Amino acid sequence: MALRIKMCNVFLFGVLVLLSLWVLCVKATVKYDQNSIIVNGDKKILISGSIHYPRSTPEMWPDLIQKAKEGGLDVIQTYVFWNGHEPEQGKYYFEDRYDLVKFIKLVDKAGLYVNLRIGPYVCAEWNFGGFPVWLKYVPNISFRTNNDPFMDAMKKFTTKIVNMMKDENLYETQGGPIILSQIENEYGPMENGLGEPGNLYTKWAAEMAVGLDTDVPWIMCKQDDAPDPIINTCNGFYCDYFSPNTKNKPKMWTEAWTAWFTAFGNPVPYRPVEDLAFGVAKFIQKGGSFINYYMYHGGTNFGRTAGGPFIATSYDYDAPIDEYGLLRQPKWGHLKDLHRAIKICEEALVSGNRNVKQLGKSQEASVFYYKDGSCAAFLANSDPHSSATVSFQNRNYELPAWSISILPDCKNVVYNTAKISAQSTNMKMTNVDRFKWKSFTEEAASDDVQSFEKFGLVDQLDTTWDKTDYLWGTTNVYIDANEEFLKNGNWPVLTVGSAGDALYVYINGQLSGNAHGKLDHAKFTFSGPVKLRGGDNKISLLSVSVGLPNIGPGYETRKHGVHGPVVLSGLKGGNRSLTSQTWTYKIGMKGEFLSLYTRNGTSSVKWLEGPNLATRIPLTWYKASFKVPDGNDPLALDMDTMSKGQVWINGQSIGRYWSEFKASGDCDLCNYPGWFTESKCVTGCDEPSQRWYHVPRAWLNPTKNFLVVFEEWGGDPNGIALVKRVAENNGK
């Protein structure tokens, strides 16, 4: 008996070895047809959501991914951010928030797929569209064109990312989660004048991508003439149209916009979930195979990563998971219910057997058939004004305006896009702490900052290489003692032309005025009276960047900062041009040079406190210490009483704030039916575009924490509060 058992065990062991070898020899596959994505032989309708790893912290990633999975997602989509990974040419960074491999492995651990949008152009309201600034200064380069210097650099980075993924066995064909990759982004003929049919650059990019041999499909976003085998996808609030080049390819919606980004000076957009669900259900009804929410979690533009210019620090995007990692209800729950309804119908949806029946002027049924001949149906009412009663298969159905009902068995409605059953919550910000401040005010164009002289004006980006938001330019003006304005007070007018983004004018060390551009037009002109004195005068211009452009043809060639003309008018001798005078330039602020935002750097200056605390004074640094509040609620800073500047926690940059730039727009109540645009539904008119700034708990120490604020314009730090974000359940 013992011998028989032993022989049996040997036999079973041999069978297991053979099975293991067979599994190793069977290569996983990712394919597609015109109705589905096919993963390892299984036809799928895939629901995806964008979560950008640098816009949250590694400590937040597992929870965000799990909530996405619980919300019914199959795929996490992310861009790859070149300027974060190669901030200096040839020097790579893949740590902390830029640990791409760790992020993808966490997605894999959760049992989800990955759509890796390598680009490496991302747009994404990200600084410089994701390109590193050094790329602009590669000799003879032209971005996103049939240009050898650009293509060489792009291929090198793309190849590095692909090889990194291969080395970590992260492609589905290696047993990993990556099932799709994207090359380039939003390049098609309709996008900002870029591209044209048969463009040599996109053909090269497609061939280069396919040649990297990832064994998973490659996609191009909004590239109508994407060459085979590249799949063309669409972006937008809706995705009802498809390029002619989708024959035998799946219909893919790379970005279903959950709302729109927030910009300083603009109100905050939101998108009612009834409309978003309608757009997604309509796409599936029309034969769509892959839909990705942009964003599913928007997160935060920490540091100086926001692009634009004028993109706010918050990238919340009214996403199903909010900036702080909390569920936005009922949006998350209503979409979860939609995903469940779609999955119930999946077998019929991927069959390729679809019939469309008109049920009325604005009503139709899309019928999909299972293998056994039974069916699933989507009943749509595209009338934005009126509900409708329709007859389908001898039954009557009531369809609210601008809605779609899903019937997995062609009989019973399991979901309607306009009828919300998910719970609803309100988000509240509750004060938990105030701060005891100390202040240090630096002088205009401080002599402690390294300087250089040059005849005429310089480009800000060419000078700073985006290492700082700030560039000082100072020139001297001699005023004759006989000038009339010295007697009558009719001060001369200084006019300064700027290519963007913001400007402060100092006369003899005192702030005289300021001006700035706005989201849709960064260029502006400052013009105002200046109080000059007889003899020598110092005119200092502080030019301020609010993020580099991230979109549009040739955006790398745009000018930045003061480009003139700079003219004094109202003098006895007529207008005086200062444009071509000798200017002294200083890069950055003294406080940056001294690293005042770090604990070690604070000892280099004398700080004032108590009755001597500086308030509403420009160019002032503030510091304070605080303890971590109890609990796990997300935290933020209320910056409502400040004007414009930047914030650091324990040396980590929270980002830019700009409370003084109030939002202008129409914040009337929003009725969801009908076509949606980014300006249709907004809140916060006549208020700061962003008031609260996310403080990741992972950045905090258990006991003492160090908060630093640099105020450019003049604010009252006593109003700054640490707040916690709390979700209150309202039921249905």
Side-chain angles (χ1 to χ4, degrees):
M1 177 67 72
L3 179 61
R4 184 180 298 176
I5 293 173
K6 184 175 181 180
M7 291 179 65
C8 183
N9 288 339
V10 170
F11 174 76
L12 289 174
F13 176 76
V15 170
L16 289 173
V17 169
L18 289 174
L19 284 173
S20 299
L21 291 173
W22 178 79
V23 169
L24 289 172
C25 292
V26 175
K27 189 175 183 180
T29 60
V30 183
K31 299 181 179 179
Y32 55 80
D33 59 22
Q34 61 184 4
N35 305 304
S36 64
I37 309 295
I38 306 171
V39 183
N40 298 328
D42 294 330
K43 290 189 172 186
K44 297 177 179 290
I45 302 296
L46 293 177
I47 310 297
S48 175
S50 289
I51 299 176
H52 295 161
Y53 52 98
R55 283 175 158 144
S56 54
T57 65
E59 292 77 9
M60 295 173 65
W61 293 345
D63 184 60
L64 296 174
I65 294 166
Q66 183 60 34
K67 286 175 177 174
K69 182 177 182 178
E70 292 171 359
L73 267 57
D74 306 297
V75 184
I76 299 298
Q77 182 189 93
T78 185
Y79 284 123
V80 177
F81 297 85
W82 189 357
N83 53 9
H85 293 302
E86 194 178 3
E88 296 181 45
Q89 189 170 10
K91 296 182 179 180
Y92 297 99
Y93 184 78
F94 290 94
E95 300 175 20
D96 194 46
R97 298 194 339 269
Y98 291 94
D99 193 338
L100 174 60
V101 168
K102 179 178 181 178
F103 179 76
I104 294 176
K105 286 185 175 181
L106 286 171
V107 176
D108 187 28
K109 184 178 180 180
L112 299 179
Y113 298 123
V114 170
N115 176 15
L116 193 64
R117 303 177 76 182
I118 299 175
Y121 168 72
V122 301
C123 185
E125 292 71 59
W126 190 262
N127 201 45
F128 222 38
F131 288 148
V133 170
W134 59 259
L135 189 68
K136 170 182 168 67
Y137 300 101
V138 171
N140 304 314
I141 201 165
S142 176
F143 287 5
R144 306 176 72 196
T145 63
N146 192 40
N147 169 266
D148 287 340
F150 176 75
M151 294 190 296
D152 289 345
M154 173 185 169
K155 182 177 182 179
K156 181 179 179 182
F157 179 74
T158 304
T159 302
K160 181 176 183 64
I161 296 299
V162 168
N163 287 341
M164 180 181 292
M165 300 301 104
K166 287 182 178 180
D167 290 344
E168 297 288 342
N169 296 315
L170 293 177
Y171 285 103
E172 174 69 19
T173 51
Q174 300 174 297
I178 302 173
I179 59 170
L180 295 164
S181 291
Q182 178 176 310
I183 195 70
E184 250 300 334
N185 185 41
E186 296 187 330
Y187 195 91
M190 297 188 301
E191 189 68 23
N192 302 298
L194 282 170
E196 58 185 23
N199 187 281
L200 293 175
Y201 164 63
T202 53
K203 285 187 175 181
W204 169 86
E207 292 173 359
M208 183 268 292
V210 173
L212 292 173
D213 193 26
T214 61
D215 285 331
V216 301
W218 285 85
I219 62 177
M220 274 188 174
C221 172
K222 301 175 77 170
Q223 180 63 30
D224 292 351
D225 62 339
D228 286 331
I230 304 294
I231 305 170
N232 175 43
T233 71
C234 68
N235 286 1
F237 289 115
Y238 306 96
C239 193
D240 297 334
Y241 66 91
F242 301 105
S243 156
N245 194 19
T246 55
K247 186 177 180 181
N248 300 321
K249 297 179 181 179
K251 298 175 174 63
M252 299 179 64
W253 191 357
T254 325
E255 295 183 12
W257 297 335
T258 55
W260 201 241
F261 59 84
T262 301
F264 290 123
N266 287 8
V268 179
Y270 67 95
R271 186 178 185 185
V273 69
E274 299 95 328
D275 176 69
L276 178 57
F278 174 80
V280 172
K282 190 173 185 182
F283 174 70
I284 300 298
Q285 175 194 358
K286 296 291 185 180
S289 301
F290 176 98
I291 178 270
N292 175 76
Y293 294 102
Y294 190 98
M295 299 292 295
Y296 200 77
H297 164 73
T300 307
N301 294 316
F302 294 116
R304 300 171 52 254
T305 58
F310 303 106
I311 304 300
T313 295
S314 171
Y315 201 67
D316 181 80
Y317 233 91
D318 195 38
I321 305 175
D322 75 7
E323 178 181 2
Y324 300 86
L326 300 176
L327 299 183
R328 174 169 277 114
Q329 296 283 27
K331 200 166 208 174
W332 182 87
H334 192 50
L335 294 177
K336 177 182 179 179
D337 293 341
L338 169 61
H339 305 154
R340 183 186 297 115
I342 291 171
K343 289 298 182 178
I344 295 173
C345 306
E346 185 175 40
E347 183 184 336
L349 294 173
V350 301
S351 69
N353 195 349
R354 169 175 170 262
N355 288 327
V356 179
K357 300 178 181 180
Q358 289 300 126
L359 304 177
K361 183 179 179 180
S362 301
Q363 297 79 36
E364 69 176 17
S366 290
V367 184
F368 302 84
Y369 293 92
Y370 298 97
K371 291 179 180 179
D372 64 3
S374 61
C375 66
F378 285 56
L379 308 183
N381 178 15
S382 297
D383 189 326
H385 305 294
S386 302
S387 61
T389 301
V390 300
S391 178
F392 174 71
Q393 294 198 357
N394 300 318
R395 294 190 180 194
N396 291 333
Y397 297 89
E398 183 71 20
L399 302 179
W402 203 253
S403 78
I404 294 175
S405 287
I406 299 177
L407 294 66
D409 58 359
C410 278
K411 295 178 182 179
N412 299 295
V413 176
V414 299
Y415 181 86
N416 179 273
T417 59
K419 297 179 180 179
I420 299 175
S421 59
Q423 68 175 357
S424 178
T425 56
N426 281 337
M427 300 297 183
K428 293 186 65 177
M429 294 297 200
T430 305
N431 285 8
V432 294
D433 202 359
R434 296 276 181 176
F435 305 99
K436 184 177 180 180
W437 294 99
K438 297 181 181 180
S439 67
F440 164 74
T441 301
E442 63 177 86
E443 297 178 356
S446 170
D447 290 335
D448 293 337
V449 179
Q450 293 179 350
S451 63
F452 64 93
E453 289 187 351
K454 188 175 179 64
F455 290 106
L457 305 174
V458 300
D459 183 87
Q460 183 166 347
L461 182 57
D462 290 349
T463 307
T464 67
W465 275 45
D466 199 39
K467 301 296 184 183
T468 173
D469 279 355
Y470 308 106
L471 178 65
W472 286 101
T474 300
T475 193
N476 293 318
V477 173
Y478 181 81
I479 297 298
D480 191 283
N482 294 320
E483 285 283 356
E484 288 295 323
F485 71 80
L486 295 173
K487 302 174 183 177
N488 58 30
N490 293 326
W491 304 107
V493 172
L494 178 67
T495 301
V496 182
S498 176
D501 304 328
L503 177 73
Y504 300 96
V505 176
Y506 283 81
I507 305 298
N508 297 319
Q510 299 298 311
L511 181 62
S512 180
N514 62 74
H516 58 79
K518 54 185 179 180
L519 178 66
D520 56 354
H521 194 68
K523 294 181 179 180
F524 64 92
T525 299
F526 168 86
S527 185
V530 288
K531 295 182 179 180
L532 301 177
R533 63 196 178 202
D536 289 326
N537 291 265
K538 181 186 290 186
I539 296 179
S540 298
L541 306 178
L542 176 57
S543 182
V544 183
S545 171
V546 194
L548 298 181
N550 59 269
I551 195 169
Y555 70 78
E556 76 276 15
T557 65
R558 295 184 196 174
K559 295 180 179 180
H560 301 266
V562 176
H563 277 266
V566 181
V567 178
L568 265 178
S569 57
L571 302 178
K572 185 166 57 176
N575 294 346
R576 185 186 302 180
S577 174
L578 309 182
T579 304
S580 299
Q581 288 193 178
T582 297
W583 290 79
T584 300
Y585 293 99
K586 299 176 181 180
I587 299 173
M589 306 303 301
K590 176 180 178 179
E592 290 180 300
F593 184 74
L594 297 175
S595 298
L596 294 187
Y597 50 85
T598 66
R599 193 178 300 275
N600 291 336
T602 58
S603 60
S604 56
V605 299
K606 182 178 180 180
W607 296 82
L608 303 178
E609 57 184 317
N612 296 318
L613 182 75
T615 60
R616 305 200 181 280
I617 296 177
L619 309 183
T620 298
W621 295 78
Y622 299 98
K623 72 170 184 175
S625 297
F626 66 97
K627 294 181 179 180
V628 179
D630 294 334
N632 296 314
D633 295 313
L635 301 174
L637 289 173
D638 182 352
M639 301 297 293
D640 191 43
T641 61
M642 304 302 283
S643 293
K644 183 179 183 300
Q646 299 185 49
V647 187
W648 294 263
I649 295 281
N650 294 329
Q652 298 256 42
S653 176
I654 295 294
R656 303 181 182 99
Y657 67 87
W658 199 347
S659 304
E660 190 67 25
F661 200 174
K662 300 297 191 290
S664 60
D666 184 0
C667 287
D668 291 341
L669 290 177
C670 168
N671 190 21
Y672 81 85
W675 292 103
F676 188 83
T677 67
E678 64 269 23
S679 59
K680 181 178 180 180
C681 301
V682 293
T683 62
C685 294
D686 303 318
E687 298 175 3
S689 300
Q690 183 177 349
R691 176 174 176 176
W692 293 285
Y693 293 78
H694 183 202
V695 177
R697 279 189 176 267
W699 290 4
L700 301 180
N701 300 318
T703 54
K704 194 172 184 180
N705 293 277
F706 185 56
L707 169 62
V708 174
V709 174
F710 173 58
E711 171 60 46
E712 302 169 14
W713 197 330
D716 184 0
N718 295 306
I720 298 175
L722 184 67
V723 303
K724 62 180 179 179
R725 186 169 176 85
V726 180
E728 293 186 340
N729 191 349
N730 292 337
K732 287 188 179 180

